[in-house]
């Protein structure tokens, strides 16, 4: 399972005018590596690095304009899709991504940043939770109330994938801006994790069954499951089971072994889409590191297999272009009209380049060059192909509405929809170019999250981590053998494996020069010879 929720918005609703929020005029501001920190961060190990050009800065401003147009001043939330007043926790995290990038890039000043951040944190802190456990999958952006998929009052369960993405960005806020930490910590302190994080480290979301009862279901497949698990791990949860890529399978596309989730969809009733987005988010936000302070520095991805797989996911798309001429940057995305949303998969349901709607119906005409995927790959891989991707989508925007979702592969033009997720990821990609991986472990202060309820049984009742308890070595346990990594060093193809504190790390990743042979014409006889009748 990938992101569990798609906000299906009729095109008519999207044609309604945006409700723009009143904005303070942004003040010119020099780029800041990190508020309150003077030392410059070394260049990031992957992709592009440097100040934004005038064109790139104009793109950042265009992407931010989406969040000005869709902002709801009553709640501080932003519409997930155009003017339709509905959102998810995933899309709200994409707004946090945009907010951080807009401030760090100097598009908004600190007053505007603080106003928006504190209002949003207050709304998140006071959300009406799904049956008292965790945030509902969907909320009305104007009222902040729980809604169903039709944006009517109701509740539909919670998504641990959406929660995991929000936990990543809440941690980024806490680390970068310690003065926001009190409010940030109080958001997840209201959640109850007992049915969410299981003893084996797996993550469970919830759905409402036909009789109205809550049913808890394991959520996430390869790519998204591990990304969401990092969000939980950043707050101290033991999610080792969800951080590992097992069970794992491979399919060969353009001579590259592409990893996919080995759980059979016929048994587990979840499709194993191979998608780009989770690998891009992991790279842009965390540099494909483990969810801890990076001990090896910026030149090494401490969760090595994530960097290795991300490079394969990128390279197979480049090779498709080299072999077919189809510019390829695939990601799940919204579409206008039915079916409203598609999974633009590299591999799914046994087929490469399979575009499926949420009902697993083949939708080849909805395949697209995704703007967020194109610019995310441009930021993380500095090669000629990603410059082509950049040129393909760099101007697919409106100055007062943000970037469109992408460009259809079949020549049907632009996807005429603008979304929070697309524009938030684009802003994160542009910030990555300037600063490198966005998560910084820069707040050494004691936190409310660690200390709250320490003299009560509330921590246990909510199944919160216990950071004030420290395990000591067992004198009778003996020396246990180190765990066998799921991805062995010999399995690395595009990255060089190195031994790290958290297992096998990766460095010196490369996609190399073009190695897919260009199609060559076949030699054939002239037409008159091919049609001549040979007499016996």
């Amino acid at each position: 399972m990938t992101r569990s929720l798609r906000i299906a918005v009729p095109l008519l609703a999207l044609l309604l005018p945006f409700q723009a929020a009143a904005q303070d005029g942004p003040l010119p501001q020099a780029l800041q590596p990190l508020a309150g920190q003077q030392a410059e961060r070394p260049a990031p190990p992957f992709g592009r690095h440097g100040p934004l050009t005038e064109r790139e800065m104009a793109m950042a401003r265009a992407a931010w304009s989406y969040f000005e147009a869709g902002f709801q001043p009553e709640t501080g939330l932003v519409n997930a899709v155009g003017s339709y007043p509905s959102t998810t926790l995933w899309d709200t995290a994409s707004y946090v991504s945009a907010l951080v990038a807009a401030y760090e890039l100097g598009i908004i000043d600190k007053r505007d940043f603080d106003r928006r951040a504190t209002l949003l944190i207050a709304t998140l802190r006071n959300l009406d939770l799904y049956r008292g456990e965790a945030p509902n999958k969907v909320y009305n952006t104007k009222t902040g109330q729980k809604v169903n998929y039709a944006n009517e009052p109701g509740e539909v369960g919670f998504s641990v994938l959406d929660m995991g993405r929000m936990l990543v960005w809440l941690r980024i806020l806490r680390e970068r801006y310690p003065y926001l930490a009190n409010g940030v910590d109080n958001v997840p302190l209201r959640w109850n994790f007992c049915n969410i994080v299981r003893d084996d480290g797996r993550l469970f979301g919830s759905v409402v069954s036909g009789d109205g009862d809550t049913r808890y279901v394991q959520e996430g497949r390869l790519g998204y499951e591990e990304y969401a698990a990092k969000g939980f791990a950043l707050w101290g949860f033991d999610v080792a089971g969800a951080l590992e890529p097992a069970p794992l399978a491979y399919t060969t596309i353009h001579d590259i072994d592409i990893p996919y989730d080995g759980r059979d969809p016929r048994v587990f009733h979840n499709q194993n889409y191979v998608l780009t987005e989770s690998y891009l988010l992991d790279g842009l936000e965390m540099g494909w590191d483990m969810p801890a302070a990076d001990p090896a520095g910026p030149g090494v991805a401490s969760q090595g297999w994530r960097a290795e797989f991300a490079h394969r996911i990128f390279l197979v798309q480049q090779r498709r272009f080299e072999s077919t001429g189809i510019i390829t940057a695939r990601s799940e995305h919204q579409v206008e009209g039915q079916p409203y949303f598609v999974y633009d998969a590299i591999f799914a349901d046994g087929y490469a380049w399979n575009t499926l709607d949420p009902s697993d119906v083949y939708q080849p005409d909805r395949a697209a060059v995704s703007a967020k995927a194109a610019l995310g790959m441009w930021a993380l891989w500095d090669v000629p192909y990603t410059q082509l991707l950049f040129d393909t989508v760099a101007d697919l925007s409106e100055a007062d509405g943000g970037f469109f979702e992408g460009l259809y592969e079949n020549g049907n033009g632009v996807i005429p929809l603008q979304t929070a997720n697309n524009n938030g990821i684009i802003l994160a990609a542009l910030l990555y170019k300037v600063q490198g991986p966005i998560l910084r472990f820069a707040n050494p202060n004691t936190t409310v999250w660690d200390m709250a309820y320490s003299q009560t049984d509330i921590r246990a009742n909510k199944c919160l981590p216990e950071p004030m308890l420290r395990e000591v070595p067992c004198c009778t346990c003996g020396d246990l053998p180190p765990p066998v990594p799921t991805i062995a060093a010999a399995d690395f193809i595009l990255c060089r494996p190195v031994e790290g504190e958290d297992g096998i790390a990766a460095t010196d990743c490369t996609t190399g020069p073009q190695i897919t042979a260009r199609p060559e014409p076949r030699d054939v006889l002239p037409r008159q010879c091919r049609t001549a009748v040979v007499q016996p």
Side-chain angles (χ1 to χ4, degrees), residues 19-20 77 81 98 187 227 267 290 393 395 420 439 442:
Q19 177 175 350
L77 297 170
V81 184
V187 173
Y227 170 72
V267 175
M290 292 294 289
V393 304
D395 299 308
L439 175 60

Side-chain angles (χ1 to χ4, degrees), residues 200-411:
D200 64 356
R202 295 289 180 183
L203 296 172
F204 279 69
S206 73
V207 296
V208 179
S209 61
D211 58 7
D213 290 339
T214 299
R215 184 163 61 93
Y216 297 98
V217 293
Q218 186 276 325
E219 192 175 343
R221 290 294 179 264
L222 181 66
Y224 280 95
E225 183 178 13
E226 297 80 16
Y227 170 72
K230 286 188 178 185
F232 284 85
L234 285 169
W235 292 81
F237 290 97
D238 182 357
V239 288
L243 276 172
E244 283 294 313
L248 183 62
Y250 296 92
T251 184
T252 302
I253 307 173
H254 292 299
D255 297 323
I256 304 172
D257 288 335
I258 298 300
Y260 69 93
D261 198 291
R263 285 167 281 199
D264 191 335
R266 296 170 299 179
V267 175
F268 293 94
H269 307 293
N270 270 321
Q271 186 56 264
N272 299 354
Y273 308 104
V274 177
L275 298 159
T276 309
E277 185 167 317
S278 66
Y279 293 100
L280 294 183
L281 297 178
D282 197 347
L284 297 172
E285 296 164 7
M286 294 173 277
W288 299 307
D289 279 331
M290 292 294 289
D294 186 5
V300 178
S302 60
Q303 195 178 31
W305 69 266
R306 289 287 283 182
E308 169 69 25
F309 284 2
H311 278 70
R312 296 189 197 184
I313 294 297
F314 164 71
L315 184 56
V316 75
Q317 295 181 77
Q318 176 179 298
R319 288 195 180 180
R320 181 182 185 233
F321 166 71
E322 294 167 358
S323 299
T324 67
I326 301 172
I327 298 174
T328 304
R330 291 205 158 197
S331 183
E332 63 276 32
H333 55 79
Q334 302 277 345
V335 294
E336 78 283 12
Q338 293 282 358
Y340 302 117
F341 187 94
V342 294
Y343 297 104
D344 216 356
I346 293 166
F347 178 79
D349 208 17
Y351 295 93
W353 317 113
N354 197 2
T355 302
L356 301 172
D357 67 22
S359 299
D360 290 336
V361 175
Y362 185 40
Q363 301 279 354
D365 286 340
R366 299 302 190 133
V369 180
S370 163
K372 61 188 174 184
L375 292 175
M377 290 193 286
W378 168 82
L380 289 166
W381 287 276
D382 187 1
V383 295
Y385 177 61
T386 58
Q387 186 59 49
L388 175 64
L389 293 180
F390 178 93
D391 292 335
T392 302
V393 304
D395 299 308
L396 297 183
S397 66
E398 293 179 329
D400 296 316
F403 275 80
F404 295 105
E405 284 285 89
L407 190 68
Y408 285 118
E409 283 184 357
N410 64 4

Side-chain angles (χ1 to χ4, degrees), residues 92-144:
T92 302
S94 291
Y95 169 46
V96 179
S97 166
L99 185 60
V100 169
Y103 172 55
E104 294 291 333
L105 295 174
I107 298 172
I108 60 175
D109 63 14
K110 186 174 183 297
R111 182 178 290 105
D112 197 7
F113 173 82
D114 287 350
R115 177 177 63 86
R116 287 172 171 268
T118 53
L119 177 58
L120 178 62
I121 290 168
T123 293
L124 294 174
R125 161 65 178 78
N126 294 291
L127 286 177
D128 188 10
L129 303 178
Y130 171 79
R131 300 185 183 179
E133 282 193 271
N136 191 52
K137 290 179 181 177
V138 204
Y139 286 89
N140 185 295
T141 54
K142 288 186 176 181
T143 65

Side-chain angles (χ1 to χ4, degrees), residues 412-493:
N412 275 343
V414 171
I415 302 173
L417 301 176
Q418 292 147 311
T419 67
N421 193 45
N422 186 49
N423 284 282
I425 293 173
I426 287 171
L427 277 162
L430 293 167
L431 179 61
Y432 178 93
K433 186 197 174 193
V434 177
Q435 297 188 356
I438 298 169
L439 175 60
R440 310 276 184 85
F441 291 91
N443 181 0
N445 302 326
T446 302
T447 64
V448 175
W449 171 258
D450 289 344
M451 303 307 297
Y453 313 126
S454 56
Q455 302 302 316
T456 71
D457 59 0
I458 295 178
R459 291 196 78 92
N461 292 340
K462 288 177 171 281
C463 298
L464 297 172
E466 295 286 358
M468 301 312 294
L469 299 179
R470 184 169 56 200
E471 289 186 356
V472 297
C474 174
C475 60
T476 61
C477 295
D479 294 329
L480 297 176
V484 177
T486 306
I487 311 300
D491 296 327
F492 282 63
I493 299 170

